[in-house]
Amino acid sequence: MGETSKAPRVARLYVAMLAIVVLLVLQVSFFGAAGKRFAPYVAMVLFGWLALYSVMTGFTVAANRNGSARTWFGIIGALLTSLFLACVVPPNLMPPSRGRQLRRRGRTLLPALEPSHAWAGISMVVGVPLNLRSELAQHWRQMGRTEHASIAAFAHVTLELLAVGAPMELVAAAQRDAHDEVCHAELCFSLARSFDGSAQSPASFPEVHEARSLPHSRADALAQVAVAALVEGAFLEGVSARMLGQLALRVDDEAIKSVLKQLAADEGRHARHGWDVVDWCLAEGGNTVADALRRAIVALPTRSEKSDARDDRLEAFGVASATLERQCFDACRAHVVERMSSVVHLAHRAA
């Protein structure tokens, strides 16, 4: 009798484990790179919880008549726990490939492309070997898509700053940053056209209407704005500025060098604006903002989301190698953690 009652319980254990695996796969598919990053932590929590539950309720030993009900309760609990953890991961801590971007559940939103000179109207002459032109055009066109999406991202920043009562200087800086991204997108699409002769521009981009909603509480809204400014502005814009500046020193072609210098200078200014927003939110929101920033520091990624193993053969044409990208990422992360840790510490002491 004991062996007979044991088999169904073992089967239900396997069903629960399979359900968790399926949910983890769905989480990765649903949240993209961010879901992949958080999947190991969710897996550890769920399988640890299931192992503890299996011991407590006796999956593999004979149980009383209520064992079946408790078993299915455990399975349902595991499913609900997985869904809850997947949904509450802070979207601001799911870094995109670059600075300010539009995202849906951690996935970066980019416009499609269509044949058009609308965003590729600047004439440039570049000296690039024929065998590299297609690859370089693809890279700079992708850069153009991210810069175009950043226009909408900064428009949302402006709206959020207005919503929390930010001073005129911060609102004006966000507006200038958005205009910078317009220029960046045009430069990138024009540079791509100079490589392969194909004039392509962003198509309609209805996703621009999707924006993070701020909490009703002003303190909580300030915390959300501050974390976004820290992660997307001070950190990721800082990474871009440092990397583009390093590339500008390694490029000989004057047209590419000019584009890199302008992008690096503007992205550096955007990073400084991010710090300005963090400082203001911290002064306005006190401990609520300080606590959110402290959690954001702990949750900062330890590696870039870009994991492709690029070598340095294209650095002379403005494409960062994986090594350069990692160096810039690590340096900026160390700077952000050091600066933010001291700022949050002082804020708590003042409170």
Side-chain angles (χ1 to χ4, degrees), residues 31-327:
F31 287 96
K36 186 175 181 180
R37 174 172 161 244
F38 281 90
Y41 303 101
V42 177
M44 285 190 294
V45 171
L46 290 178
F47 281 110
W49 180 88
L50 187 60
L52 178 62
Y53 185 86
S54 67
V55 172
M56 294 177 62
T57 57
F59 269 119
T60 57
V61 296
N64 58 31
R65 280 175 288 182
N66 294 326
S68 177
R70 292 201 307 272
T71 298
W72 285 111
F73 175 80
I75 294 174
I76 294 172
L79 300 180
L80 294 177
T81 302
S82 180
L83 290 174
F84 174 77
L85 291 175
C87 292
V88 299
V89 175
N92 288 330
L93 300 181
M94 301 176 180
S97 57
R98 311 187 63 242
R100 297 277 191 179
Q101 295 290 304
L102 290 179
R103 296 190 301 280
R104 181 195 291 139
R105 304 183 187 95
R107 182 174 61 87
T108 303
L109 302 175
L110 298 175
L113 298 179
E114 63 183 9
S116 171
H117 285 78
W119 291 76
I122 302 175
S123 296
M124 299 182 185
V125 178
V126 293
V128 176
L130 291 176
N131 63 317
L132 297 179
R133 286 179 174 264
S134 176
E135 187 174 358
L136 289 171
Q138 182 179 2
H139 167 78
W140 283 100
R141 206 160 273 130
Q142 181 68 9
M143 284 276 290
R145 295 176 71 204
T146 64
E147 300 291 350
H148 181 272
S150 291
I151 302 169
F154 273 111
H156 289 165
V157 171
T158 299
L159 295 175
E160 291 181 343
L161 290 173
L162 290 171
V164 295
M168 179 189 69
E169 294 78 11
L170 294 181
V171 176
Q175 294 285 76
R176 288 193 296 270
D177 294 346
H179 182 265
D180 289 340
E181 301 297 356
V182 174
C183 298
H184 294 178
E186 184 181 21
L187 286 170
C188 291
F189 284 116
S190 297
L191 190 56
R193 180 170 70 91
S194 71
F195 289 130
D196 64 2
S198 174
Q200 296 188 47
S201 297
S204 59
F205 192 26
E207 291 86 354
V208 298
H209 295 295
E210 299 185 16
R212 293 184 299 260
S213 58
L214 292 177
H216 293 295
S217 164
R218 183 169 184 263
D220 292 338
L222 285 167
Q224 182 169 310
V225 170
V227 171
L230 176 69
V231 177
E232 302 175 8
F235 179 36
L236 291 174
E237 296 275 12
V239 173
S240 292
R242 182 183 291 261
M243 187 164 56
L244 292 166
Q246 289 292 318
L247 285 170
L249 300 175
R250 307 180 186 194
V251 171
D252 295 325
D253 185 271
E254 288 302 321
I256 301 175
K257 182 185 289 288
S258 176
V259 171
L260 289 169
K261 284 183 175 180
Q262 181 171 341
L263 265 61
D266 292 345
E267 302 286 15
R269 189 171 62 256
H270 299 174
R272 292 191 294 273
H273 292 165
W275 282 115
D276 292 341
V277 173
V278 170
D279 291 340
W280 178 79
C281 290
L282 193 56
E284 289 285 311
N287 280 336
T288 300
V289 175
D291 290 339
L293 291 171
R294 188 177 65 252
R295 291 193 296 270
I297 296 171
V298 174
L300 277 179
T302 57
R303 61 180 178 82
S304 172
E305 290 296 327
K306 293 181 179 178
S307 58
D308 49 336
R310 298 185 306 277
D311 55 34
D312 60 358
R313 65 188 178 89
L314 295 180
E315 283 194 353
F317 306 103
V319 181
S321 65
T323 300
L324 176 60
E325 185 179 274
R326 184 169 58 253
Q327 291 171 349

